[in-house]
Amino acid sequence: MAAAATLSAPDAAKLSQLKSAVSGLGQISESEKNGFINLVSRYLSGEAQHVDWSKIQTPTDEIVVPYDSLAPTPQDPAATKSLLDKLVVLKLNGEVRNGMTFLDLIVIQIENLNTKYGCNVPLLLMNSFNTHDDTLKIVEKYANSNIDIHTFNQSQYPRLVVEDFTPLPCKGQTGKDGWYPPGHGDVFASLMNSGKLDALLSQGKEYVFAANSDNLGAIVDLKILNHLMTNKNEYCMEVTPKTLADVKGGTLISYEGKVQLLEIAQVPDEHVNEFKSIEKFKIFNTNNLWVNLKAIKRLVEAQALKMEIIPNPKEVDGIKVLQLETAAGAAIKFFDNAIGINVPRSRFLPVKATSDLLLVQSDLYTLVDGFVERNKARTNPSNPSIELGPEFKKVGNFLSRFKSIPSIIELDSLKVSGDVWFGTGITLKVTIAAKPGVKLEIPDGVVLENKEIHGPEDL
């Protein structure tokens, strides 16, 4: 197993005892055991990356390249095909529109690319042990499609019992609750350990475009791919301008001559407000990442990807446990010639809550060839601010409370709370808050504008 970092005598004893316990866990591979012990060893050594605030510099346009400055993509279809044949799309694994899942949309997008240019862009899906079986069922649907779909699992690590630093599965918790996937920073090692990385390199693939599957704006962009190929950038993070909703998002900085991701957890308390300011830190990480495959292989083999460790405390059946995780964006500082590209906001359209679902299912967006496009009739460049109460939190409840999704083209903000039900053909331009104990039904075809609705008398 991996060598331990410099540890105090009690921590070295802890790690030795943990190694012994982990070696007996038959559910995971040797590479997973090694990766886990390595992570715990780094955690115990206190190898935290302390940021010296005085050394932080704002990145120049050479390091965070403005999207508008990228060269146009080649007009020659053969040159475009040659670019795309070196690309792999990887999604870090709902319903979106008309009963389609995120995966359906992604498949349609890549199928259209492959058909249009006669290229072969494969789709890789990184699953956790929790999502693996469900994903395989969906993938079966596409057995005859014009796209190669590959799945691989990210690592499975045992949860650590805080009290005595033993793996939770050794306490009799042999089900799924004993384990966790160690964050999407694990994508690089898992690509390598699964054999997928070597297979892709042998097929002449050079870059992977990795993004969260719930970001509907994360589509293949030829201008970005062309720029990376031309300039031999090993790593590119797409960033976009911050709004007040994004103040906690990680940002790119120049630090000791390298580009680096700065997360809010690394910021000293006295500088948190400065970090959240839109004036100084103007951009945030979308988690759309473009990475050179040969560089991944080189760095994983050298065990050089020592990303910041994110401790994530949890409780399972009353037992306090710890999960140690990493994030893929933090790897940027280990790659040569790494850059950010400041992309339009349209490339960041995550669907993480039913309020996001309302946006993408509404007339604010249309679906064309699997691509979600914003309605040009919306003159305000910002999306409406939408806040739905707990009654709308679950997708099933959300869908049952709308007979059809209202028109929100001219909406600025919407806050809905209480027992509210929507009819069909509604146009929203409003605060809707049902009084406690009152069921409020918005009738079909109504236009609600610039008013607060608390009961039927306000309609």
Side-chain angles (χ1 to χ4, degrees), residues 106-149:
I106 292 159
V107 169
I108 293 166
Q109 290 164 12
I110 298 177
E111 272 196 313
N112 282 320
L113 263 186
N114 286 343
T115 302
K116 183 175 179 181
Y117 295 106
C119 56
N120 176 24
V121 176
L123 172 63
L124 261 72
L125 302 170
M126 182 170 87
N127 304 307
S128 72
F129 56 90
N130 291 315
T131 59
H132 178 72
D133 293 343
D134 289 340
T135 307
L136 287 185
K137 285 177 199 156
I138 298 168
V139 169
E140 280 172 17
K141 283 197 322 194
Y142 299 109
N144 301 316
S145 62
N146 178 27
I147 178 172
D148 289 335
I149 304 180

Side-chain angles (χ1 to χ4, degrees), residues 42 45 48 57 141 160 232 285 316 332 339 346 419 441:
R42 285 178 52 217
S45 73
Q57 293 180 302
K141 283 197 322 194
L160 267 176
K232 299 190 166 39
N285 171 22
V316 179
I332 189 168
I339 58 166
S346 57
D419 188 13
E441 296 196 36

Side-chain angles (χ1 to χ4, degrees), residues 28-184:
I28 55 174
S29 67
E30 285 305 309
S31 59
E32 285 170 313
K33 292 173 185 176
N34 274 324
F36 175 67
I37 291 297
N38 214 344
L39 196 60
V40 174
S41 171
R42 285 178 52 217
Y43 173 71
L44 287 174
S45 73
E47 182 201 278
Q49 303 285 336
H50 295 293
V51 176
D52 181 340
W53 199 255
S54 64
K55 291 183 181 176
I56 289 176
Q57 293 180 302
T58 303
T60 62
D61 283 358
E62 282 74 46
I63 292 175
V64 175
V65 181
Y67 183 82
D68 291 343
S69 73
L70 300 182
T73 47
Q75 293 302 302
D76 175 14
T80 303
K81 176 186 184 309
S82 160
L83 267 180
L84 287 168
D85 277 337
K86 292 172 181 166
L87 182 68
V88 182
V89 173
L90 192 160
K91 294 291 177 172
L92 311 168
N93 267 352
E95 296 299 316
V96 184
R97 303 179 68 98
N98 310 325
M100 291 184 128
T101 63
F102 297 131
L103 188 53
D104 290 319
L105 294 184
I106 292 159
V107 169
I108 293 166
Q109 290 164 12
I110 298 177
E111 272 196 313
N112 282 320
L113 263 186
N114 286 343
T115 302
K116 183 175 179 181
Y117 295 106
C119 56
N120 176 24
V121 176
L123 172 63
L124 261 72
L125 302 170
M126 182 170 87
N127 304 307
S128 72
F129 56 90
N130 291 315
T131 59
H132 178 72
D133 293 343
D134 289 340
T135 307
L136 287 185
K137 285 177 199 156
I138 298 168
V139 169
E140 280 172 17
K141 283 197 322 194
Y142 299 109
N144 301 316
S145 62
N146 178 27
I147 178 172
D148 289 335
I149 304 180
H150 306 270
T151 64
F152 67 101
N153 275 15
Q154 71 177 115
S155 301
Q156 177 174 330
Y157 286 175
R159 284 174 159 156
L160 267 176
V161 178
V162 172
E163 186 186 15
D164 59 4
F165 227 65
T166 55
L168 188 55
C170 295
K171 301 272 190 181
Q173 179 53 270
T174 52
K176 284 188 173 177
D177 283 349
W179 307 88
Y180 75 99
H184 49 64

